[in-house]
Amino acid sequence: MSAKPVDLPADSSIQRILIIKWSALGDLVMASALFEDIRRAFPRAEIHLNTQPANQALFAADTRFARIIALDTRPKSARFGAMLRWLRSVRAGRYDLVVDLQTSDRSRLLLGALQLTGRGIRHRVGNHGFWPYTIGPDNLPLDINPVLRMRAALKLAGIPTTTSHPVLAVPERNRKRAQHLLAQHGIADGNYALLFPGCHPRGYLKRWGEQNYAELGRLLLTEGLVRHIVIAGGPDEAELGNTIAGSIGAAAVNLCGATEMLDIIPLAGHAHCIIGNDTGTSHLAACSERPQVVICGPTDPTRVKPLGDQVIAIQADLPCSNCYRKHCAHHSCMREVHTAQVLALLTAPPAQAIVRVPARILETLPHA
């Protein structure tokens, strides 16, 4: 295994490349910047992406990939069979290079098993410096943003990592859908703020709260920054969107449940600004390069902030920050981020990408 830089793009024998990235939506969207770097480094190679079936729709129009291998190796009820199907599919690909951007125990196990079959892959880039990888960094901190870890691996392989934000191909159909949704409500380009007030139900502690989003929406309108507030999210967030829109008034439009994943990117691209929780939708919006603020509480912004110089993460400076708890008795991390602070980040963006604001509470916090 090499922790010293090599120059794989100079190797003309690398014709077929496999990229592995399975995980959650946010991590996958951030990794799309690395996909772009790999494509640029190997402009003539045939590149395949191995991801989960649920992610396949994100790459329906993506010309960077000749093939999407959508295989789920996780089902406990048929794990051995799923792993066998993966091994057969990857063996048949006869790849010259694999870039494992997942680098989990399961991906290492599968790549190790592949090597033992006698038809392994010559160059194996991973985010860790041990077998089965032939190229990978040593001694990286565990608490860094996953993109920094991925970039360290690519740099060792001689692949320049210059893409600053996520890159996903948006089909024309989704662009037209987004324009139609805006036109339905008489909303013009650049005249609205886009809010993502929801998140996965199991991560409800990551929600800033409907009252905060409603108050922020009213502030954006009264300050004259926008003329409309657009609220977006999944079907299970429709009630939340209705509550916020009802509190803001006629200038607010609730699109929760009315959009597909790839509609989010053009919706964000036409927005004046974007505000959301730490959720996959916020990562999708970062593809647009529009000004964006992400409110973080129980999750570490150095690890979860969407990729892009235009994205600012805000978090209250509390001793219990970054707890990653699923339940909490006081939820102070979100209560201590105030609407005026978020508005200030939009009107006068700071130089730093992560802003930690002092908490007003001084007493010792109760345990969750």
Side-chain angles (χ1 to χ4, degrees), residues 177-257:
R177 276 175 50 85
Q179 288 283 20
H180 178 68
L181 285 169
L182 294 174
Q184 271 186 315
H185 299 281
I187 300 174
D189 288 1
N191 279 342
Y192 63 94
L194 183 60
L195 308 186
F196 302 127
C199 66
H200 195 284
R202 289 200 301 269
Y204 74 97
L205 289 182
K206 296 193 290 184
R207 295 190 179 194
W208 191 35
E210 59 193 45
Q211 291 182 346
N212 284 324
Y213 276 104
E215 182 181 344
L216 178 64
R218 291 192 295 268
L219 278 173
L220 289 165
L221 293 167
T222 56
E223 292 289 328
L225 295 178
V226 295
R227 295 182 61 187
H228 293 91
I229 305 297
V230 175
I231 305 158
D236 58 330
E237 294 157 3
E239 184 176 348
L240 172 68
N242 281 333
T243 301
I244 296 170
S247 182
I248 293 173
V253 174
N254 177 23
L255 296 183
C256 292

Side-chain angles (χ1 to χ4, degrees), residues 16 48 67 69 85-95 114 119:
R16 294 173 65 82
H48 297 179
R67 182 187 175 198
I69 304 173
R85 286 191 294 274
W86 187 94
L87 287 169
R88 287 172 175 166
S89 179
V90 175
R91 274 173 57 94
R94 297 183 177 273
Y95 300 107
L114 183 70
R119 197 184 293 173

Side-chain angles (χ1 to χ4, degrees), residues 315-319 332 336-338 341 356-362:
Q315 185 184 48
D317 190 4
L318 293 166
S332 298
E336 291 298 315
V337 175
H338 303 284
Q341 295 167 331
R356 290 186 171 87
V357 293
R360 297 179 183 178
I361 55 173
L362 300 177

Side-chain angles (χ1 to χ4, degrees), residues 172-181 258-260 263:
E172 186 61 25
R173 167 180 169 275
N174 294 95
R175 295 188 186 279
K176 289 180 178 178
R177 276 175 50 85
Q179 288 283 20
H180 178 68
L181 285 169
T259 58
E260 297 177 0
D263 295 343

Side-chain angles (χ1 to χ4, degrees), residues 330-343:
H330 52 87
H331 208 199
S332 298
C333 58
M334 287 306 191
R335 289 195 292 109
E336 291 298 315
V337 175
H338 303 284
T339 53
Q341 295 167 331
V342 174
L343 183 67

Side-chain angles (χ1 to χ4, degrees), residues 18-22 98-104 106-109 111 124-128 132-133 150 153-154:
L18 175 67
I19 301 174
I20 301 173
K21 190 60 182 172
W22 301 330
V98 59
V99 181
D100 181 7
L101 298 180
Q102 187 68 24
T103 318
S104 64
R106 184 169 293 121
S107 66
R108 290 195 296 270
L109 172 65
L111 283 173
R124 305 180 298 279
V125 178
N127 298 342
H128 296 291
Y133 305 111
M150 298 178 210
L154 294 191

